């Protein structure tokens, strides 16, 4: 199981996922409740869930790269732009800084009050109340550690995000959104173009502990061990392409959650200006643990990041991201709707309310609603770094993930020199990733190494 919940709860999540996949799940929740904690009977129900056939199979949502590319819109694939080494390096510094800034802003808010809402209020309403209660509205700095909203409205911050609050922040504290960026850099440094999803599993088992992964990543981490570990030695199965699907789906109802989407950045930096290559790298990574829209989320974000290094128009960046995923998939449909919402208002609170109302039927950590918020924030902000990251965090759901993704895109587009100093200075150019060799490390050193990978891959 995924390590965070028992089998009964896992099956309830599987029912929801199968419903997303257009299966008829009538009666399954009642069966699960009636079974209680009987593991044998629960596994029989799981087998029945796995055997369900979608009533309206979506042929526009394949898992394999060649099929995905057959269904994507026309796109630039590669964008040439001449820049000096200094200009490129500023872009890479901006991307790493932007990711750290957005992640740190959202990390204290990655808590149920703000992700799913509470006391009859939407998550974005609680974010608004927190900053307002701290006399820090509108958002123009890191999350205050104290707010009158705590006592007045019964909301509180994530206990593990204290080091990222306004009163305490002095570096980028460890976070999965940062660890995966580091792992992407490591993979490209070691292997260049020559790696696939099996190498992702091997790298995770080498550098990540079990408690550093969650949801889809936890289950694929466990499943990978079962098919590759033999008496302490990791061996690639000759039939890995077949076993991979079991690794990413078995007891994994989170296979379309946001986990893959937050892993795009390290790969996309190495493919700066090449959205097709960035999406290729993202597909290899995401297909280890996710399917369909879970894969498309990482491909969409990777293509946007790669484009942002050479493109300044946020709407064009989003369109380039969409050009690397199936044009009619659920994610693409949701992104188009989010962009339409963003173009229809000039008010930040109205925007996040409309996005929340449109996509809150998804789990707070599903790919689609969070990607929609990311796209809406970029289009709404029109190139304003603070407005972009603030909107993405204000919207609730997976606050640190969305802040990090939007910050990464905006940083790559603007460059470090155009990011307001009051966001940069508190980090003291320091990152703690809880990955050997990157704990601590200068953020500027990570940027330099990503730039060197980019140069190597272009040759």
């Amino acid at each position: 199981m995924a390590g965070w919940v028992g089998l009964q709860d896992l099956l309830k999540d599987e029912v929801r996922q199968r419903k997303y996949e257009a299966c008829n799940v009538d009666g399954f929740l009642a069966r699960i409740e009636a079974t209680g904690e009987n593991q044998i009977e629960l596994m029989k129900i799981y087998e029945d869930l796995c055997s369900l056939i979608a009533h309206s199979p979506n042929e526009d949502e394949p898992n394999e790269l060649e099929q995905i590319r057959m269904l994507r819109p026309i796109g630039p694939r590669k964008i040439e732009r001449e820049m000096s080494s200094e200009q490129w390096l500023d872009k890479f510094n901006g991307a790493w800084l932007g990711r750290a800034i957005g992640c740190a802003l959202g990390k204290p808010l990655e808590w149920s009050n703000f992700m799913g809402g509470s006391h009859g209020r939407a998550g974005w309403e609680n974010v608004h109340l927190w900053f307002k209660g701290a006399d820090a509205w509108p958002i123009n700095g890191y999350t205050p550690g104290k707010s009158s909203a705590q006592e007045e409205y019964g909301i509180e911050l994530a206990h593990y995000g204290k080091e990222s609050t306004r009163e305490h922040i002095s570096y980028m504290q460890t976070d999965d959104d940062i660890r995966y960026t580091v792992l992407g850099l490591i993979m490209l440094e070691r292997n260049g173009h020559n790696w696939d999803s099996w190498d992702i599993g091997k790298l995770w088992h080498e550098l990540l502990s079990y408690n550093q992964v969650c949801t889809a990543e936890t289950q694929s981490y466990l499943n990978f061990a079962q098919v590759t570990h033999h008496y302490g030695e990791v061996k690639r199965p000759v039939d890995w392409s077949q076993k991979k699907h079991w690794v990413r789906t078995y007891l994994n109802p989170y296979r379309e959650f946001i986990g893959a989407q937050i892993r795009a950045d390290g790969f996309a930096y190495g493919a700066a200006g090449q959205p097709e290559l960035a999406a290729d790298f993202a597909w290899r990574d995401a297909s280890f643990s996710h399917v369909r829209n879970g894969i498309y989320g990482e491909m969409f974000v990777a293509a946007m990041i790669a484009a942002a290094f050479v493109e300044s128009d946020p709407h064009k960046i989003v369109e380039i991201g969409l050009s690397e995923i199936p044009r009619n998939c659920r994610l693409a449909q949701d992104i188009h709707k989010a962009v339409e919402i963003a173009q229809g208002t000039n008010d930040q609170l109205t925007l996040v309310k409309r996005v929340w109302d449109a996509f809150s039927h998804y789990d707070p950590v599903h790919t689609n609603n969070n990607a929609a918020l990311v796209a809406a924030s970029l289009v709404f902000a029109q190139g304003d770094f603070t407005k972009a990251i603030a909107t993405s965090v204000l919207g609730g759901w997976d606050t640190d993930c969305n802040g990090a993704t939007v910050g990464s895109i905006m940083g790559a587009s603007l460059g470090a020199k155009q990011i307001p100093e009051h966001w940069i200075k508190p980090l003291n150019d320091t990152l703690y990733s809880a990955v050997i060799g990157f704990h601590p490390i200068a953020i500027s050193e990570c940027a330099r190494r990503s730039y060197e990978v980019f140069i190597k891959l272009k040759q």
Side-chain angles (χ1 to χ4, degrees):
M1 286 173 280
W4 298 83
V5 297
L7 183 57
Q8 187 182 50
D9 287 333
L10 200 71
L11 262 61
K12 292 177 183 177
D13 289 335
E14 181 65 32
V15 169
R16 177 175 52 182
Q17 175 58 29
R18 294 300 275 161
K19 189 173 182 179
Y20 287 147
E21 296 169 351
C23 294
N24 183 353
V25 295
D26 291 348
F28 274 95
L29 287 177
R31 286 179 62 191
I32 293 168
E33 288 288 353
T35 301
E37 296 297 328
N38 187 314
Q39 304 290 291
I40 295 174
E41 293 302 315
L42 286 172
M43 285 305 298
K44 289 180 181 178
I45 296 174
Y46 178 70
E47 291 172 3
D48 290 343
L49 278 168
C50 291
S51 67
L52 291 177
I53 299 175
H55 283 281
S56 302
N58 193 338
E59 297 177 357
D60 295 326
E61 293 189 355
N63 292 319
E64 300 310 310
L65 184 60
E66 289 185 7
Q67 295 171 302
I68 292 170
R69 286 181 169 175
M70 289 175 63
L71 297 172
R72 63 184 174 169
I74 295 172
R77 313 306 177 210
K78 185 175 183 179
I79 309 167
E80 298 289 350
R81 182 176 173 187
E82 290 296 325
M83 286 189 283
S84 67
S85 297
E86 181 181 355
Q87 289 173 316
W88 275 114
L89 194 53
D90 181 54
K91 294 273 192 174
F92 283 94
N93 270 307
W96 275 93
L97 281 168
R99 183 154 188 80
I101 291 166
C103 183
L105 172 62
K107 190 171 178 68
L109 302 165
E110 191 191 26
W111 201 241
S112 58
N113 315 274
F114 310 106
M115 297 179 72
S118 65
H119 304 88
R121 295 183 299 269
W124 68 266
E125 293 180 270
N126 285 335
V127 177
H128 178 222
L129 289 172
W130 187 270
F131 278 85
K132 198 173 178 181
D135 294 322
W137 180 261
I139 301 172
N140 190 33
Y142 292 104
T143 300
K146 295 181 179 180
S147 170
S148 62
Q150 182 166 2
E151 183 174 343
E152 188 173 355
Y153 297 103
I155 53 182
E156 60 182 357
L157 298 178
H159 63 87
Y160 49 75
K162 182 178 180 180
E163 294 168 74
S164 291
T165 57
R166 181 178 64 186
E167 297 84 356
H168 295 92
I169 188 166
S170 60
Y171 50 84
M172 180 62 234
Q173 71 174 119
T174 183
D175 187 89
D176 56 350
D177 294 87
I178 297 300
R179 283 193 291 274
Y180 287 124
T181 308
V182 166
L183 292 180
L185 170 59
I186 292 171
M187 180 65 79
L188 296 184
E189 283 184 328
R190 290 183 179 182
N191 301 302
H193 292 274
N194 302 314
W195 55 277
D196 66 6
S197 57
W198 183 84
D199 295 291
I200 292 296
K202 186 179 179 183
L203 186 68
W204 288 12
H205 275 234
E206 176 189 346
L207 297 177
L208 294 179
S209 64
Y210 179 76
N211 67 359
Q212 289 177 314
V213 290
C214 60
T215 60
E217 286 69 29
T218 305
Q219 193 58 50
S220 56
Y221 187 101
L222 290 175
N223 292 344
F224 182 77
Q226 293 188 55
V227 302
T228 63
H229 285 243
H230 302 273
Y231 304 104
E233 183 180 0
V234 181
K235 291 185 177 181
R236 183 188 182 108
V238 294
D239 57 345
W240 169 247
S241 60
Q242 283 76 43
K243 282 191 166 59
K244 178 177 72 171
H245 191 65
W246 183 85
V247 167
R248 67 189 179 189
T249 58
Y250 182 68
L251 289 176
N252 181 11
Y254 316 114
R255 53 192 178 270
E256 289 190 296
F257 276 19
I258 197 175
Q261 188 164 288
I262 70 173
R263 300 182 342 227
D265 301 60
F267 301 111
Y269 297 163
Q274 303 179 75
E276 181 177 61
L277 178 61
D280 179 349
F281 287 163
W283 174 83
R284 301 185 209 182
D285 178 64
S287 63
F288 174 74
S289 54
H290 285 69
V291 299
R292 300 185 183 90
N293 295 274
I295 293 175
Y296 309 152
E298 183 169 356
M299 296 177 73
F300 170 66
V301 165
M304 285 200 296
I305 295 169
F309 279 89
V310 293
E311 175 58 64
S312 60
D313 184 324
H315 190 267
K316 288 183 180 178
I317 290 171
V318 172
E319 287 296 323
I320 292 169
L322 286 168
S323 75
E324 293 297 336
I325 66 174
R327 61 174 60 84
N328 292 322
C329 68
R330 283 170 286 153
L331 178 60
Q333 293 171 14
D334 289 339
I335 297 300
H336 283 299
K337 186 173 183 178
V339 169
E340 183 179 341
I341 291 171
Q343 292 174 323
T345 182
N346 293 317
D347 180 74
Q348 191 182 48
L349 289 173
T350 300
L351 170 73
V352 295
K353 180 185 185 304
R354 289 180 180 174
V355 171
W356 182 279
D357 291 345
F359 303 109
S360 59
H361 56 282
Y362 289 114
D363 187 276
V365 292
H366 196 278
T367 291
N368 289 37
N369 51 343
N370 288 287
L373 178 57
V374 164
S377 300
L378 291 168
V379 172
F380 174 78
Q382 298 181 343
D384 184 313
F385 180 85
T386 295
K387 185 183 288 188
I389 62 169
T391 303
S392 67
V393 170
L394 171 63
W397 296 324
D398 210 330
T399 51
D400 64 331
C401 295
N402 296 333
T405 296
V406 169
S408 183
I409 293 168
M410 292 299 301
S413 181
L414 296 170
K417 292 177 182 177
Q418 293 190 56
I419 297 176
E421 182 64 21
H422 72 274
W423 290 112
I424 297 175
K425 189 175 180 180
L427 295 176
N428 292 303
D429 192 27
T430 304
L431 180 153
Y432 284 81
S433 71
V435 175
I436 295 172
F438 292 81
H439 190 82
I441 191 171
I443 297 172
S444 56
E445 171 67 8
C446 294
R448 181 190 63 78
R449 287 169 65 169
S450 283
Y451 172 62
E452 291 176 352
V453 164
F454 160 70
I455 294 298
K456 181 179 70 173
L457 294 181
K458 281 190 71 176
Q459 294 173 349

